[in-house]
Every structure is written in structure tokens, then in C-alpha cells.
Amino acid sequence: MKITILTLFPEMFAPLHASIVGRAVKEGKLSLEIVDIRDYTQDKHLKCDDYPFGGGAGMVMMAQPIGSAIEAVDPEHRARRIYLSPKGRVLRQERIFSLAEEEHLVLLCGHYEGVDQRAIDLFIDEELSIGDYVLTGGELPAMVLTDCVTRYLDGVLSPQSLVQESFSENLLEYPQYTRPVEYRGLTVPEVLRSGNHAAIDKWRREQAIELTKKMRPDLL
């Protein structure tokens, strides 16, 4: 898979070169391209934003640099083009599964007061949000989406790691423990040390159901 991220702040994406995403890039399972929108502006001062028509606070990203950048990285419109926006549909696990099947994703990061609507109408396939809150820009949501999708690319994680985790079967993941057995008076549940895999599976499912009832009853 290839993920192309269009942004005014490419330096923000250094974290994607670490951990699991960074390893996926090094192993050739993910091609990650960070594109500076300023490279495509026709303004001699590299301007990419301007005051909004109709007045109001802040600045709006101009359509021309965005459109030119998208046409440069995806000239035949073969990629799925996504604008990370608080107005978009909230990103859910099932959407991650389908996006992981795409060959190429182009992610547009808005900033300031947003993006000229014409850039969205002409060049974007869908808008996605990572939650009902407002950030200073789309860079963090783009990193979240990239991280989520990368986990489901072939060979990035072991299949077993993806079977029983939060949101599989609409349940949160059961509690996890590691050594030592006792820490500050709290002990690892005995069933997890029993070696009885049937009992362990039963305990984990019960815990997942109870945890979901407590923390996210809307999922049930």
C-alpha cells in the first residue's frame, strides 16, 4: 500500500518513521510519502492561505495549491482521496478494514480555519473525522489513520495479534498482565496462570463483556 499525505507542516510526521509504521516502511510493506503543499502554490511568496470571503476570523487554505498537489501525486485519480475534517464521518474500525484494502490513499490535512470548499468538491472522495472535537489541523488525524490502516497490512503484525483486540466483535479488549505475578499488592488472576486455555478464553470473554458494559455500553 501507498499512503500520500498532503500537508503544510511535513516536519510533524517524524513519529511515523518509528515503531510499527516505521518498520512497515523499512520492510517495504508500506510506501509513505509526505508532500509539502507549498511546493505546488503558484504564489511567488509560497502563500497557501487567504482571508475568507464573507469575513470571519482566521485564514482558509486556497484551492489552487491543494488541487495542484493532488493532481501531481494522483494524476489519474486511482487513489482514495480523503480530507481529514471535523465535519467528516467519524472513523470506525470497519472503515479501517476497508481502507486497508486500498492500493493508494491520499490524505489531505487541513489547517487554520479549513479548506476552500472548491478543493473538496473537485478533488476529495470523502471526509473523515477521528472524533467530535476540533484540532489545530489534520496532521494528527492523518497520523492516526495511517497508524490504524498500517496494522492491517499483510505481514505487519502477526494474525493472532489482530484476532482478539478492542472493537473485534464490538467488544473492548480484556485486561492484560505480565511479570511479575504480584505488584504493590495486586496479583495476576490465577486463571491466567493455570495453563487451562479453555478457562482462560472463557475468563477473557467474560472480562471483555463486563469491561464493555462499564466503559462503552453503546457498543453492545
Side-chain angles (χ1 to χ4, degrees):
M1 167 181 273
K2 181 177 183 179
I3 297 180
T4 301
I5 301 175
L6 308 182
T7 175
L8 293 175
F9 302 95
E11 64 276 10
M12 289 185 64
F13 290 90
L16 290 182
H17 296 287
S19 190
I20 292 172
V21 177
R23 189 177 68 204
V25 172
K26 290 178 182 178
E27 294 177 352
K29 297 177 175 66
L30 171 67
S31 173
L32 184 60
E33 180 183 28
I34 310 299
V35 175
D36 190 339
I37 296 172
R38 293 186 194 278
D39 292 341
Y40 295 91
T41 182
Q42 295 173 355
D43 183 85
K44 64 180 180 180
H45 301 296
L46 303 183
K47 189 175 181 181
C48 289
D49 61 316
D50 211 331
Y51 295 102
F53 278 114
M59 306 290 277
V60 175
M61 289 178 64
M62 300 160 64
Q64 178 275 311
I66 293 170
S68 296
I70 291 177
E71 288 179 325
V73 301
D74 182 32
E76 298 181 3
H77 199 163
R78 293 183 176 179
R80 185 70 180 172
R81 301 170 177 179
I82 299 170
Y83 171 43
L84 284 310
S85 163
K87 296 184 295 182
R89 180 175 58 168
V90 176
L91 184 63
R92 303 293 186 192
Q93 189 68 33
E94 61 270 17
R95 188 69 186 113
I96 293 295
F97 292 146
S98 59
L99 289 176
E101 299 295 323
E102 298 282 348
E103 293 185 6
H104 187 190
L105 299 177
V106 173
L107 309 182
L108 171 62
C109 303
H111 220 84
Y112 312 123
E113 291 302 311
V115 166
D116 188 308
Q117 184 64 39
R118 291 168 292 185
I120 300 171
D121 294 341
L122 291 170
F123 301 105
I124 296 299
D125 296 317
E126 68 175 306
E127 298 182 51
L128 289 176
S129 167
I130 62 168
D132 295 333
Y133 44 86
V134 179
L135 298 168
T136 56
E139 284 75 19
L140 292 176
M143 282 188 263
V144 168
L145 178 55
T146 299
D147 185 280
C148 290
V149 169
T150 301
R151 300 179 73 255
Y152 293 96
L153 301 182
D154 287 343
V156 173
L157 295 178
S158 66
Q160 187 176 1
S161 298
L162 302 173
V163 173
Q164 291 182 317
E165 60 178 0
S166 290
F167 304 111
S168 61
E169 299 183 341
N170 275 1
L171 295 175
L172 300 182
E173 189 176 20
Y174 48 79
Q176 297 275 19
Y177 298 88
T178 187
R179 291 179 175 79
V181 171
E182 187 274 335
Y183 175 69
R184 296 195 178 189
L186 299 180
T187 305
V188 177
E190 185 176 349
V191 64
L192 298 179
R193 297 177 278 134
S194 68
N196 185 331
H197 295 293
I200 291 172
D201 289 344
K202 181 175 181 293
W203 180 88
R204 284 175 168 170
R205 182 163 184 82
E206 290 172 348
Q207 290 295 310
I209 292 172
E210 288 304 312
L211 190 61
T212 305
K213 286 180 180 178
K214 178 181 178 181
M215 305 294 290
R216 290 291 305 276
D218 57 295
L219 293 175
L220 296 174

